[in-house]
Amino acid sequence: MKVGYYQFRPLFGKIRHNLNKVVKTLEDVNADLIVLPELAFTGYYFKDRQEVKSLAEDPDNSITIDSLSALCRDRNFHLVTGFAEKQKDKYFNSALLIGPKGIEHIYRKLHLFNEEKNWFDDGNIPLQINHIQDARIGIMVCFDWAFPEVTRVLALQNADIICHPSNLVLAYCQQTMLTRCLENKVYAITTNRFGFDKRPFGNLKFTGRSQIVAPGGTLIHRAQSQREELYIMEIDPALARDKSITALNEVLADRRPEYYSNLN
Ligand code: ACM
């Protein structure tokens, strides 16, 4: 299976520009699954909820989604992309799985980071798995990395590949995802953006270093911090079905949930 990421620098508020950039970059690419950053078309550093309202789109009535669906149809691949989602009077920091037939799943970020709590509504859709060919795909967004429950719940639903659109500003995630992939024996594709959102009220810098990690926690490939990169590689999703970590241990089967009851 050919999977990869496109690390780029969205320009804040320039949805058409960002969309054209993605479509142009991917229009000749052969792959099965490509992961784009969080909020890939709007940019990230909103002034307030009002500004989210002015930029978010309803996926059922969105030129952005229509154009990405057409791209998936033309290239016969799937995309997982961050997306500022409008749903009636609610606004979600979402990730969409889009394939040749259009949207296959919407994930709404469960763990909002910092000021996102002022901009977005809390995600309200249970974690679930989707299939691309024989591979089982789980989706999480950026700061979900800090909650090991998310990757674990997806692994318990038999995810092979965690797709992880991100707009990272802290330095911890890339290293932490090696552990998430070790402790769950899954692949993870973390796609981060790079560059700044420069706004009148302040600047935010994003850390790049998008990466693909193998089920043992091995880093397969990592992008540079501040450089655009499209990276596609061949993986075998079935490797994520071997959960052994020693001859006598398996990361999921050896759990003792009867002793974890205070997790709730
Ligand atoms: C983040 O969740 N965008 C840091």
Side-chain angles (χ1 to χ4, degrees):
M1 182 178 194
K2 286 177 89 169
V3 304
Y5 60 75
Y6 178 36
Q7 168 172 307
F8 71 107
R9 174 175 40 187
L11 299 183
F12 186 87
K14 305 258 188 268
I15 295 178
R16 277 301 179 95
H17 167 92
N18 299 326
L19 176 64
N20 289 342
K21 184 170 178 61
V22 166
V23 171
K24 199 156 183 38
T25 303
L26 301 186
E27 69 189 356
D28 295 322
V29 170
N30 288 318
D32 299 299
L33 168 66
I34 301 171
V35 182
L36 301 175
E38 180 181 8
L39 297 170
F41 303 101
T42 54
Y44 181 85
Y45 198 11
F46 296 99
K47 178 164 170 279
D48 50 24
R49 187 172 167 96
Q50 201 55 40
E51 197 169 46
V52 174
K53 284 187 186 179
S54 72
L55 290 168
E57 295 176 80
D58 179 340
D60 290 332
N61 182 20
S62 158
I63 290 169
T64 310
I65 298 306
D66 291 348
S67 163
L68 295 174
S69 297
L71 176 66
C72 290
R73 204 161 46 242
D74 290 346
R75 301 309 307 161
N76 193 31
F77 59 36
H78 281 74
L79 291 173
V80 173
T81 183
F83 186 77
E85 183 199 358
K86 169 180 163 59
Q87 201 52 253
K88 300 202 174 91
D89 58 345
K90 299 246 189 258
Y91 296 86
F92 299 101
N93 182 345
S94 297
L96 311 185
L97 172 64
I98 307 173
K101 296 193 176 122
I103 294 177
E104 295 183 15
H105 183 57
I106 296 180
Y107 167 74
R108 294 172 174 159
K109 189 173 185 178
L110 289 178
H111 301 97
L112 297 175
F113 176 73
N114 203 6
E115 291 174 84
E116 290 173 32
K117 292 186 175 206
N118 300 328
W119 308 332
F120 291 105
D121 293 286
D122 284 328
N124 57 2
I125 297 179
L127 293 159
Q128 74 161 58
I129 299 302
N130 286 79
H131 291 76
I132 300 177
Q133 300 158 14
D134 292 335
R136 300 181 293 227
I137 306 300
I139 301 176
M140 62 188 219
V141 172
C142 204
F143 192 49
D144 287 329
W145 69 264
F147 300 84
E149 294 87 348
V150 176
T151 324
R152 177 49 55 94
V153 165
L154 292 170
L156 286 169
Q157 294 182 80
N158 299 318
D160 300 316
I161 307 168
I162 307 295
C163 299
H164 184 205
S166 295
N167 276 186
L168 295 158
V169 294
L170 303 178
Y172 315 115
C173 170
Q174 287 88 342
Q175 191 63 26
T176 305
M177 287 308 291
L178 306 187
T179 305
R180 295 286 167 273
C181 290
L182 171 64
E183 68 200 1
N184 294 289
K185 300 288 300 276
V186 291
Y187 288 95
I189 305 170
T190 296
T191 306
N192 195 13
R193 60 164 289 181
F194 73 100
F196 287 85
D197 271 350
K198 291 191 172 155
R199 305 302 316 281
F201 47 88
N203 301 331
L204 260 191
K205 184 181 180 186
F206 302 89
T207 59
R209 299 170 82 230
S210 297
Q211 63 184 25
I212 301 179
V213 184
T218 313
L219 179 63
I220 305 178
H221 183 80
R222 184 178 276 162
Q224 295 194 14
S225 165
Q226 298 300 312
R227 186 174 293 178
E228 185 166 316
E229 185 182 38
L230 169 68
Y231 185 78
I232 310 285
M233 65 171 296
E234 185 79 30
I235 64 164
D236 179 3
L239 294 183
R241 300 181 190 175
D242 172 8
K243 298 299 183 190
S244 61
I245 190 161
T246 72
L248 296 180
N249 292 102
E250 298 221 342
V251 290
L252 299 184
D254 283 4
R255 290 173 310 116
R256 304 290 308 281
E258 65 273 34
Y259 289 96
Y260 309 156
S261 55
N262 60 354
L263 264 183
N264 288 329

